[in-house]
Amino acid sequence: RRYPTVELRAETFNGSTHVPIPSDSAFLKALLFELRLVDDHVFVEQRDTCTRINHSSVYSVSTAAGELWPVLAFHKSSLIYACVPLVEGTLEPRPPLLTVSGLSQGLALLLGIMDYISPSRKNEAEMNAKIGQLRNLLIQACPLGTPLNTNIRSLNSSFEDIQEMPADKDQPAWRSSTYKGKPQVNVCITEKVKCMQYDQRDVVDTWQVYGAVNCKCDIEGSAPNVTLSLNLPTNAPPLQDIVVHHCVTSVDPAMLMSTSAEPLHDSVYNGPYKFPFIPPADSFNLCYYTSQVPVPPILGCYQLVEEESQIKITVNLKLHESIKNSFEYCEARIPFFNRGPIAHLEYKVSYGQLDLSREKSLLVWVIGQKFPKSLEVSLTGTVSFGTASKEHPTDYVCTGNTAYVKLYFRIPDFTLTGCYVDQHSVQIFVPGKPKITASRELISSDYYIWNSKAPAPMVYKPL
């Protein structure tokens, strides 16, 4: 899809240095060449020189009129997803990628298209039908060249529910259809915790929490007003780095000024966090945030020592007393890279059960849905290995005794920050009593405990 209005703006910004987008066939030919999907066996200095090693999905594509930049493109499951974002400013000298807002918008749109198409990639007829519907969907998702809704899967592929001229002049562009029925609002706070633990005196453990508040508002009216508040317990760390959805109509500027790049001080904004908004018709993320919580939920220690032909492992895990001891699942995975399959295993666990993966390269310690009363669990064992084959997993980082335990868990009805939605504080200015459903969850994400008996890759090194 081409947007003449966007191309005209690009020409206005760049004047005589403007490089127009060529015809579809010429652009495709140039893009395939740049992505090395044609003539990849031929060395072409302009494309293959060491000075043009690409570290991102942003390319400079050679056309008859000159170098077209930035072209955002990636290759996934036999399909190429590409767009040419507008740079709102001059291209000489080229601005840093992080300053070009069109790149993040374009990437979100392409990922939304990929999410819509990829489930059908094994059924060619179904995939062709979906690609045929894309033009209609893009009219809703990106009507004039600016993405309004990147969740392509949620859009209606027919024009039946789309009003060409909204009956209400106050209806925002992101409410392309109206709901009929009993008003209801579903809100879910999902927090993810990342962690790197080393159990070494000279290395600082690190952890990060980042949350998203997802909403689905089924409310009648062309422009319904909703106000939702996020609350924190007393003395809880404040929310920081807050990013809000474009449908939010106003927020306290102090809320958006709190950043994790600066140390916390008494004047920082700690809520309640009010969000008045006119919701889209489908589910969306109202806001994202981070927080500097004082402790990670599970503290761990991993020791791996090699002795002759076998290795000894010890894993200790402790659930912090402030954490809700009720998991949907909790397990520790202990991979063994660059070695053969596990030939012999002796172990003792204080709690839960230990399983060996089918390919015999991974121990899975299933802790289950609860830690014991002591909140501590331990695993000790000795492992010996057979001869390694080509199929056995390898890792360039985890060589020798450099190894890790990775934790996977989900705690329903709990957040590490304590953040929650007070259902009574949700205000909806429509007739009838709406049904409010609020839920929350904490999920592990890249939660690593490194072997304290070997050097590990550092996220942070003290000065």
Side-chain angles (χ1 to χ4, degrees), residues 366-389:
V366 180
I367 296 161
Q369 296 180 319
K370 236 176 173 54
F371 273 66
K373 278 187 178 180
S374 65
L375 303 182
E376 294 185 41
V377 293
S378 63
L379 158 69
T380 56
T382 56
V383 187
S384 55
F385 302 90
T387 308
S389 63

PDB file of all heavy atoms in Angstrom, residues 366-389:
ATOM      1  N   VAL A 366      10.674 -29.735  38.654  1.00  0.00           N
ATOM      2  CA  VAL A 366       9.306 -29.222  38.796  1.00  0.00           C
ATOM      3  C   VAL A 366       9.038 -28.996  40.285  1.00  0.00           C
ATOM      4  O   VAL A 366       8.896 -29.949  41.059  1.00  0.00           O
ATOM      5  CB  VAL A 366       8.276 -30.205  38.203  1.00  0.00           C
ATOM      6  CG1 VAL A 366       6.864 -29.657  38.371  1.00  0.00           C
ATOM      7  CG2 VAL A 366       8.579 -30.476  36.732  1.00  0.00           C
ATOM      8  N   ILE A 367       8.984 -27.731  40.687  1.00  0.00           N
ATOM      9  CA  ILE A 367       8.736 -27.396  42.088  1.00  0.00           C
ATOM     10  C   ILE A 367       7.243 -27.429  42.379  1.00  0.00           C
ATOM     11  O   ILE A 367       6.805 -27.780  43.467  1.00  0.00           O
ATOM     12  CB  ILE A 367       9.358 -26.021  42.425  1.00  0.00           C
ATOM     13  CG1 ILE A 367      10.887 -26.124  42.281  1.00  0.00           C
ATOM     14  CG2 ILE A 367       8.977 -25.553  43.831  1.00  0.00           C
ATOM     15  CD1 ILE A 367      11.592 -24.815  42.126  1.00  0.00           C
ATOM     16  N   GLY A 368       6.435 -27.092  41.385  1.00  0.00           N
ATOM     17  CA  GLY A 368       4.985 -27.212  41.528  1.00  0.00           C
ATOM     18  C   GLY A 368       4.296 -25.907  41.844  1.00  0.00           C
ATOM     19  O   GLY A 368       4.724 -24.838  41.406  1.00  0.00           O
ATOM     20  N   GLN A 369       3.240 -25.983  42.622  1.00  0.00           N
ATOM     21  CA  GLN A 369       2.388 -24.814  42.848  1.00  0.00           C
ATOM     22  C   GLN A 369       2.623 -24.153  44.198  1.00  0.00           C
ATOM     23  O   GLN A 369       1.972 -23.165  44.514  1.00  0.00           O
ATOM     24  CB  GLN A 369       0.920 -25.225  42.710  1.00  0.00           C
ATOM     25  CG  GLN A 369       0.597 -25.691  41.287  1.00  0.00           C
ATOM     26  CD  GLN A 369      -0.842 -26.107  41.121  1.00  0.00           C
ATOM     27  OE1 GLN A 369      -1.417 -26.755  41.991  1.00  0.00           O
ATOM     28  NE2 GLN A 369      -1.440 -25.731  39.996  1.00  0.00           N
ATOM     29  N   LYS A 370       3.559 -24.695  44.989  1.00  0.00           N
ATOM     30  CA  LYS A 370       3.797 -24.124  46.309  1.00  0.00           C
ATOM     31  C   LYS A 370       5.199 -24.459  46.775  1.00  0.00           C
ATOM     32  O   LYS A 370       5.702 -25.552  46.510  1.00  0.00           O
ATOM     33  CB  LYS A 370       2.783 -24.696  47.317  1.00  0.00           C
ATOM     34  CG  LYS A 370       1.962 -23.653  48.052  1.00  0.00           C
ATOM     35  CD  LYS A 370       0.938 -24.328  48.926  1.00  0.00           C
ATOM     36  CE  LYS A 370       0.186 -23.354  49.811  1.00  0.00           C
ATOM     37  NZ  LYS A 370      -0.436 -22.251  49.152  1.00  0.00           N
ATOM     38  N   PHE A 371       5.853 -23.527  47.455  1.00  0.00           N
ATOM     39  CA  PHE A 371       7.088 -23.833  48.161  1.00  0.00           C
ATOM     40  C   PHE A 371       6.702 -24.416  49.538  1.00  0.00           C
ATOM     41  O   PHE A 371       5.622 -24.114  50.063  1.00  0.00           O
ATOM     42  CB  PHE A 371       7.920 -22.562  48.356  1.00  0.00           C
ATOM     43  CG  PHE A 371       8.837 -22.259  47.196  1.00  0.00           C
ATOM     44  CD1 PHE A 371       8.320 -21.919  45.953  1.00  0.00           C
ATOM     45  CD2 PHE A 371      10.217 -22.318  47.342  1.00  0.00           C
ATOM     46  CE1 PHE A 371       9.151 -21.639  44.887  1.00  0.00           C
ATOM     47  CE2 PHE A 371      11.064 -22.043  46.288  1.00  0.00           C
ATOM     48  CZ  PHE A 371      10.531 -21.702  45.054  1.00  0.00           C
ATOM     49  N   PRO A 372       7.577 -25.212  50.154  1.00  0.00           N
ATOM     50  CA  PRO A 372       7.254 -25.739  51.491  1.00  0.00           C
ATOM     51  C   PRO A 372       7.213 -24.618  52.531  1.00  0.00           C
ATOM     52  O   PRO A 372       7.549 -23.469  52.242  1.00  0.00           O
ATOM     53  CB  PRO A 372       8.411 -26.711  51.769  1.00  0.00           C
ATOM     54  CG  PRO A 372       9.534 -26.223  50.912  1.00  0.00           C
ATOM     55  CD  PRO A 372       8.900 -25.659  49.691  1.00  0.00           C
ATOM     56  N   LYS A 373       6.845 -24.953  53.780  1.00  0.00           N
ATOM     57  CA  LYS A 373       6.709 -23.947  54.835  1.00  0.00           C
ATOM     58  C   LYS A 373       7.999 -23.169  55.059  1.00  0.00           C
ATOM     59  O   LYS A 373       7.982 -21.978  55.375  1.00  0.00           O
ATOM     60  CB  LYS A 373       6.281 -24.609  56.152  1.00  0.00           C
ATOM     61  CG  LYS A 373       4.784 -24.862  56.239  1.00  0.00           C
ATOM     62  CD  LYS A 373       4.402 -25.359  57.629  1.00  0.00           C
ATOM     63  CE  LYS A 373       2.891 -25.564  57.722  1.00  0.00           C
ATOM     64  NZ  LYS A 373       2.501 -26.042  59.069  1.00  0.00           N
ATOM     65  N   SER A 374       9.135 -23.838  54.905  1.00  0.00           N
ATOM     66  CA  SER A 374      10.435 -23.164  55.097  1.00  0.00           C
ATOM     67  C   SER A 374      10.740 -22.167  53.987  1.00  0.00           C
ATOM     68  O   SER A 374      11.649 -21.339  54.111  1.00  0.00           O
ATOM     69  CB  SER A 374      11.549 -24.208  55.153  1.00  0.00           C
ATOM     70  OG  SER A 374      11.648 -24.875  53.894  1.00  0.00           O
ATOM     71  N   LEU A 375       9.982 -22.243  52.873  1.00  0.00           N
ATOM     72  CA  LEU A 375      10.177 -21.411  51.675  1.00  0.00           C
ATOM     73  C   LEU A 375      11.510 -21.682  50.983  1.00  0.00           C
ATOM     74  O   LEU A 375      11.947 -20.919  50.127  1.00  0.00           O
ATOM     75  CB  LEU A 375      10.063 -19.902  51.998  1.00  0.00           C
ATOM     76  CG  LEU A 375       8.747 -19.449  52.638  1.00  0.00           C
ATOM     77  CD1 LEU A 375       8.765 -17.935  52.854  1.00  0.00           C
ATOM     78  CD2 LEU A 375       7.546 -19.834  51.764  1.00  0.00           C
ATOM     79  N   GLU A 376      12.183 -22.802  51.353  1.00  0.00           N
ATOM     80  CA  GLU A 376      13.477 -23.138  50.749  1.00  0.00           C
ATOM     81  C   GLU A 376      13.414 -24.537  50.150  1.00  0.00           C
ATOM     82  O   GLU A 376      12.824 -25.447  50.739  1.00  0.00           O
ATOM     83  CB  GLU A 376      14.591 -23.072  51.793  1.00  0.00           C
ATOM     84  CG  GLU A 376      14.835 -21.658  52.322  1.00  0.00           C
ATOM     85  CD  GLU A 376      16.022 -21.598  53.265  1.00  0.00           C
ATOM     86  OE1 GLU A 376      17.036 -22.255  52.960  1.00  0.00           O
ATOM     87  OE2 GLU A 376      15.930 -20.921  54.305  1.00  0.00           O
ATOM     88  N   VAL A 377      14.043 -24.695  48.988  1.00  0.00           N
ATOM     89  CA  VAL A 377      14.150 -26.012  48.351  1.00  0.00           C
ATOM     90  C   VAL A 377      15.585 -26.195  47.868  1.00  0.00           C
ATOM     91  O   VAL A 377      16.294 -25.220  47.600  1.00  0.00           O
ATOM     92  CB  VAL A 377      13.175 -26.156  47.158  1.00  0.00           C
ATOM     93  CG1 VAL A 377      11.738 -26.154  47.626  1.00  0.00           C
ATOM     94  CG2 VAL A 377      13.379 -25.049  46.121  1.00  0.00           C
ATOM     95  N   SER A 378      16.033 -27.455  47.758  1.00  0.00           N
ATOM     96  CA  SER A 378      17.415 -27.700  47.335  1.00  0.00           C
ATOM     97  C   SER A 378      17.483 -28.942  46.456  1.00  0.00           C
ATOM     98  O   SER A 378      16.636 -29.839  46.543  1.00  0.00           O
ATOM     99  CB  SER A 378      18.329 -27.863  48.549  1.00  0.00           C
ATOM    100  OG  SER A 378      17.936 -28.992  49.310  1.00  0.00           O
ATOM    101  N   LEU A 379      18.504 -28.958  45.623  1.00  0.00           N
ATOM    102  CA  LEU A 379      18.774 -30.090  44.735  1.00  0.00           C
ATOM    103  C   LEU A 379      20.278 -30.344  44.736  1.00  0.00           C
ATOM    104  O   LEU A 379      21.073 -29.409  44.583  1.00  0.00           O
ATOM    105  CB  LEU A 379      18.290 -29.766  43.314  1.00  0.00           C
ATOM    106  CG  LEU A 379      18.905 -30.550  42.150  1.00  0.00           C
ATOM    107  CD1 LEU A 379      18.465 -32.005  42.180  1.00  0.00           C
ATOM    108  CD2 LEU A 379      18.523 -29.930  40.806  1.00  0.00           C
ATOM    109  N   THR A 380      20.684 -31.579  44.940  1.00  0.00           N
ATOM    110  CA  THR A 380      22.097 -31.959  44.798  1.00  0.00           C
ATOM    111  C   THR A 380      22.154 -33.178  43.900  1.00  0.00           C
ATOM    112  O   THR A 380      21.215 -33.997  43.884  1.00  0.00           O
ATOM    113  CB  THR A 380      22.737 -32.293  46.159  1.00  0.00           C
ATOM    114  OG1 THR A 380      21.966 -33.330  46.791  1.00  0.00           O
ATOM    115  CG2 THR A 380      22.798 -31.075  47.060  1.00  0.00           C
ATOM    116  N   GLY A 381      23.237 -33.302  43.142  1.00  0.00           N
ATOM    117  CA  GLY A 381      23.341 -34.456  42.261  1.00  0.00           C
ATOM    118  C   GLY A 381      24.681 -34.550  41.577  1.00  0.00           C
ATOM    119  O   GLY A 381      25.493 -33.607  41.600  1.00  0.00           O
ATOM    120  N   THR A 382      24.942 -35.702  40.997  1.00  0.00           N
ATOM    121  CA  THR A 382      26.130 -35.903  40.158  1.00  0.00           C
ATOM    122  C   THR A 382      25.655 -36.377  38.792  1.00  0.00           C
ATOM    123  O   THR A 382      24.715 -37.174  38.683  1.00  0.00           O
ATOM    124  CB  THR A 382      27.089 -36.951  40.768  1.00  0.00           C
ATOM    125  OG1 THR A 382      26.367 -38.168  40.969  1.00  0.00           O
ATOM    126  CG2 THR A 382      27.647 -36.452  42.088  1.00  0.00           C
ATOM    127  N   VAL A 383      26.317 -35.869  37.763  1.00  0.00           N
ATOM    128  CA  VAL A 383      25.918 -36.156  36.383  1.00  0.00           C
ATOM    129  C   VAL A 383      27.150 -36.568  35.597  1.00  0.00           C
ATOM    130  O   VAL A 383      28.213 -35.938  35.722  1.00  0.00           O
ATOM    131  CB  VAL A 383      25.276 -34.903  35.714  1.00  0.00           C
ATOM    132  CG1 VAL A 383      24.707 -35.267  34.350  1.00  0.00           C
ATOM    133  CG2 VAL A 383      24.196 -34.302  36.594  1.00  0.00           C
ATOM    134  N   SER A 384      27.035 -37.625  34.789  1.00  0.00           N
ATOM    135  CA  SER A 384      28.106 -37.985  33.848  1.00  0.00           C
ATOM    136  C   SER A 384      27.493 -38.072  32.454  1.00  0.00           C
ATOM    137  O   SER A 384      26.283 -38.294  32.292  1.00  0.00           O
ATOM    138  CB  SER A 384      28.768 -39.301  34.246  1.00  0.00           C
ATOM    139  OG  SER A 384      27.804 -40.327  34.359  1.00  0.00           O
ATOM    140  N   PHE A 385      28.348 -37.945  31.439  1.00  0.00           N
ATOM    141  CA  PHE A 385      27.860 -37.763  30.070  1.00  0.00           C
ATOM    142  C   PHE A 385      28.436 -38.801  29.119  1.00  0.00           C
ATOM    143  O   PHE A 385      29.538 -39.316  29.312  1.00  0.00           O
ATOM    144  CB  PHE A 385      28.226 -36.358  29.568  1.00  0.00           C
ATOM    145  CG  PHE A 385      27.687 -35.256  30.428  1.00  0.00           C
ATOM    146  CD1 PHE A 385      28.433 -34.764  31.495  1.00  0.00           C
ATOM    147  CD2 PHE A 385      26.421 -34.745  30.212  1.00  0.00           C
ATOM    148  CE1 PHE A 385      27.927 -33.760  32.310  1.00  0.00           C
ATOM    149  CE2 PHE A 385      25.909 -33.747  31.015  1.00  0.00           C
ATOM    150  CZ  PHE A 385      26.669 -33.255  32.068  1.00  0.00           C
ATOM    151  N   GLY A 386      27.665 -39.065  28.055  1.00  0.00           N
ATOM    152  CA  GLY A 386      28.125 -39.931  26.981  1.00  0.00           C
ATOM    153  C   GLY A 386      28.847 -39.124  25.916  1.00  0.00           C
ATOM    154  O   GLY A 386      29.213 -37.954  26.118  1.00  0.00           O
ATOM    155  N   THR A 387      29.025 -39.701  24.752  1.00  0.00           N
ATOM    156  CA  THR A 387      29.739 -39.038  23.656  1.00  0.00           C
ATOM    157  C   THR A 387      28.815 -38.047  22.959  1.00  0.00           C
ATOM    158  O   THR A 387      27.670 -38.379  22.628  1.00  0.00           O
ATOM    159  CB  THR A 387      30.242 -40.078  22.638  1.00  0.00           C
ATOM    160  OG1 THR A 387      30.977 -41.072  23.342  1.00  0.00           O
ATOM    161  CG2 THR A 387      31.134 -39.417  21.576  1.00  0.00           C
ATOM    162  N   ALA A 388      29.322 -36.832  22.731  1.00  0.00           N
ATOM    163  CA  ALA A 388      28.514 -35.788  22.100  1.00  0.00           C
ATOM    164  C   ALA A 388      28.337 -36.063  20.619  1.00  0.00           C
ATOM    165  O   ALA A 388      29.255 -36.536  19.943  1.00  0.00           O
ATOM    166  CB  ALA A 388      29.175 -34.431  22.303  1.00  0.00           C
ATOM    167  N   SER A 389      27.139 -35.774  20.096  1.00  0.00           N
ATOM    168  CA  SER A 389      26.874 -35.877  18.659  1.00  0.00           C
ATOM    169  C   SER A 389      26.593 -34.488  18.111  1.00  0.00           C
ATOM    170  O   SER A 389      26.491 -33.520  18.851  1.00  0.00           O
ATOM    171  CB  SER A 389      25.670 -36.791  18.414  1.00  0.00           C
ATOM    172  OG  SER A 389      24.507 -36.229  19.005  1.00  0.00           O
TER     173      SER A 389
END
